[in-house]
């Protein structure tokens, strides 16, 4: 079985009505818990912990996916889509031809 990256001991992130708690591995929007898969959480936390930085799908895949997950970097696109739908906020921007970035919106 592959290694799953644990994000414990890292900073809780707050952006307006969004809270990302890596210690409890929970995401809150307006105080409501949003259920996320491990990969969705890892992608969101990585992007949100580097606001304004742009990452390629390959970089996000390498950071967020367990070692035994063989779908490839193109799977990041579907994860980003699911995260956007679950959060219903415009924080994750597509940088066409390159990748994705988290924009502060507070």
């Amino acid at each position: 079985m592959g290694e799953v990256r644990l994000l414990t001991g890292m900073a809780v992130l707050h952006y307006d009505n969004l809270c990302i708690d890596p210690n409890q591995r929970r995401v809150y929007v307006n105080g409501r818990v949003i259920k996320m898969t491990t990969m969705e959480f890892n992608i969101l936390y990585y992007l949100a912990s580097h606001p304004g930085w742009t990452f390629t799908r390959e970089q996000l895949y390498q950071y967020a996916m367990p070692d035994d997950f063989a779908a490839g970097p193109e799977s990041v696109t579907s994860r980003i889509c699911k995260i956007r739908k679950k959060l219903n906020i415009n924080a994750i921007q597509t940088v066409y031809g390159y990748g994705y970035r988290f924009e502060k919106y507070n």
Side-chain angles (χ1 to χ4, degrees):
M1 186 130 205
E3 170 194 355
V4 175
R5 289 179 176 84
L6 298 177
L7 304 175
T8 57
M10 299 179 85
V12 175
L13 304 176
H14 297 275
Y15 296 103
D16 196 25
N17 60 340
L18 173 67
C19 176
I20 307 167
D21 184 343
N23 302 304
Q24 294 183 21
R25 298 198 57 86
R26 289 192 178 152
V27 176
Y28 303 87
V29 174
N30 293 321
R32 195 176 115 244
V33 174
I34 306 298
K35 293 185 180 193
M36 297 206 154
T37 67
T38 297
M39 290 177 267
E40 291 167 353
F41 185 91
N42 288 352
I43 290 170
L44 177 62
Y45 187 83
Y46 193 65
L47 285 169
S49 64
H50 299 87
W53 293 27
T54 304
F55 297 97
T56 66
R57 289 185 309 178
E58 289 78 14
Q59 289 170 318
L60 292 171
Y61 178 81
Q62 288 176 358
Y63 177 79
M65 306 303 177
D67 294 336
D68 64 345
F69 190 77
E74 53 282 343
S75 65
V76 169
T77 302
S78 66
R79 297 299 190 279
I80 294 284
C81 221
K82 289 177 183 179
I83 293 167
R84 286 174 173 157
K85 186 175 181 178
K86 289 178 179 185
L87 297 182
N88 197 27
I89 57 176
N90 295 321
I92 299 175
Q93 303 296 313
T94 300
V95 179
Y96 292 99
Y98 190 80
Y100 300 96
R101 120 177 105 231
F102 184 90
E103 290 289 337
K104 291 186 198 181
Y105 62 98
N106 59 347

